[in-house]
Amino acid sequence: MTAMPLPLTIEHEMLGTLRVPVYADVSAAAQRLAPHVRRTMLLRSPVLDELAQAPVWLKLENLQVTGSFKARGAFNALLNMEPAQRERGVVAYSTGNHGQAVAWASRCLRVPATIVMPVDAPENKVDKALRHGARVVRYDRTRESREEIGMRLLAETGATLLPPGDHPDVLAAQGTLALEALQDLPAAALANLGLFATPCGGGGMAAGCSLVLRELAPQARMVAVEPLEFDDTVRSLASGKRETNPAGAKTLCDALQAATPAELPYAINSRSLSAAVSVSDDEVAAAIRFALEELRLVIEPGGAVALAALLAGKLSADGRDAVIVLSGGNIDLPLLRQIALD
């Protein structure tokens, strides 16, 4: 799909009650977050360059605070709340990484936090949210609605909902990883940048990063990568409307099990993504093993999908520089052992 330019009037756009963020919001978030999150490094691998037949720069968000890029959005959103609003607390629903991030940010800022997590969420992610002092409410995603549970908790506590995607401050902050990456690229690599690829669940990271690409590297293709059975963005770009995933869909990528593209990110992604592609669980497992063996990095399945697409030949840099985001490293040790020994 060919990317369409965002309208020149987007700085005045509203999506319902939500303001659509712009590049200036990403820049402001970067300054706000600098004392609190890690500026994660870019990594090159001669082996990966040879396989891709192009210079590949890996953005290591698996080494971010809380183990994923989600720390950026959670902290920025809390920092932007009024003090009285923070005192009433926040509620977040999450399969794991957003919940951990909200729990960590809330602990840092002394904000009461309740995280709604599915019963099949990886236990390491649940445990970390609890260790950060959050209250965790579990639910069965096959029979219960996390949104309904969240609304009930909001009514009971007077807290504020902090969603993983449909929030301007969250989305803008996720784009700070792209801002860092482009600032850290050598000038020649930035001028030659042809591809920027991110994992995609609800689409917030892809949307935030696309705001940066449009401003600083408009020549680069922005591509979102999803699990094969959760390819709602792939299908949404093809149909021109937000598509949903089947109720029985399964994937190793617990962090990317969104039912449908989040509304605010899709408003940006539908016009800014060059393409979206999907990868199988076997391709994801192969990427995790490659990261262990060749890069000495631990990546969770959802954080490995963009690398998986590159290794599987589903992404091409066409000989130009490419940035591939490794978005998280919070993998359960039993699953890592299983993948490593397979």
Side-chain angles (χ1 to χ4, degrees):
M1 176 179 176
T2 301
M4 295 179 63
L6 294 173
L8 294 177
T9 56
I10 192 169
E11 50 264 45
H12 305 297
E13 264 197 330
M14 297 291 291
L15 184 67
T17 60
L18 296 176
R19 180 179 57 83
V20 179
V22 294
Y23 173 74
D25 297 305
V26 180
S27 181
Q31 294 183 37
R32 200 178 294 122
L33 289 172
H36 307 289
V37 302
R38 291 176 186 151
R39 188 182 185 97
T40 56
M41 66 180 290
L42 292 173
L43 177 70
R44 286 280 298 280
S45 160
V47 174
L48 186 57
D49 286 359
E50 179 65 25
L51 289 171
Q53 290 295 289
V56 178
W57 306 81
L58 300 173
K59 178 63 170 168
L60 303 188
E61 286 295 289
N62 57 311
L63 303 182
Q64 184 55 262
V65 177
T66 77
S68 89
F69 76 102
K70 294 284 190 179
R72 298 172 182 270
F75 212 96
N76 189 52
L78 285 176
L79 283 174
N80 263 0
M81 287 182 182
E82 294 293 334
Q85 188 180 15
R86 286 203 295 263
E87 287 178 8
R88 294 192 295 271
V90 293
V91 172
Y93 43 78
S94 169
T95 55
N97 284 335
H98 178 61
Q100 282 185 75
V102 172
W104 164 75
S106 296
R107 186 192 68 180
C108 292
L109 296 172
R110 299 183 180 180
V111 176
T114 300
I115 314 299
V116 181
M117 304 180 77
V119 293
D120 60 343
E123 289 304 316
N124 67 320
K125 296 183 178 181
V126 177
D127 289 345
K128 287 177 182 176
L130 289 168
R131 288 207 301 270
H132 287 307
R135 172 193 178 195
V136 174
V137 175
R138 309 297 291 271
Y139 73 100
D140 184 340
R141 71 169 96 208
T142 65
R143 297 185 297 104
E144 299 175 285
S145 164
R146 67 182 189 179
E147 288 81 5
E148 290 178 3
I149 294 170
M151 292 302 107
R152 186 181 72 241
L153 291 168
L154 293 177
E156 291 173 357
T157 63
T160 298
L161 179 66
L162 190 51
D166 278 326
H167 194 295
D169 293 334
V170 171
L171 192 156
Q174 313 305 31
T176 62
L177 73 90
L179 182 59
E180 290 178 2
L182 298 196
Q183 289 173 341
D184 291 347
L185 282 174
L190 178 59
N192 191 52
L193 187 66
L195 173 68
F196 194 106
T198 71
C200 182
M205 173 169 44
C209 290
S210 72
L211 299 176
V212 177
L213 265 287
R214 176 174 175 258
E215 184 75 16
L216 302 182
Q219 81 284 356
R221 297 170 62 242
M222 179 73 206
V223 180
V225 186
E226 299 178 298
L228 187 60
E229 292 199 31
F230 285 81
D231 63 344
D232 44 293
T233 296
V234 173
R235 289 180 287 110
S236 296
L237 292 181
S239 70
K241 61 180 182 179
R242 291 163 66 218
E243 301 286 351
T244 59
N245 294 309
K250 296 185 182 300
T251 178
L252 281 177
C253 305
D254 60 275
L256 304 181
Q257 295 182 41
T260 187
E263 189 176 8
L264 180 57
Y266 184 70
I268 295 173
N269 288 335
S270 62
R271 297 171 292 183
S272 63
L273 287 180
S274 300
V277 300
S278 62
V279 290
S280 69
D281 280 357
D282 286 345
E283 290 164 339
V284 169
I288 292 172
R289 286 193 294 272
F290 177 88
L292 277 172
E293 295 171 359
E294 296 292 343
L295 309 175
R296 297 298 185 257
L297 293 174
V298 174
I299 316 172
E300 66 182 278
V305 292
L307 176 61
L310 185 70
L311 293 172
K314 294 181 176 180
L315 285 178
S316 174
D318 297 323
R320 300 173 68 183
D321 286 76
V323 173
I324 303 294
V325 179
L326 307 182
S327 61
N330 294 316
I331 184 171
D332 256 344
L333 288 179
L335 178 58
L336 180 61
R337 185 180 304 114
Q338 175 187 332
I339 291 173
L341 298 176
D342 192 355

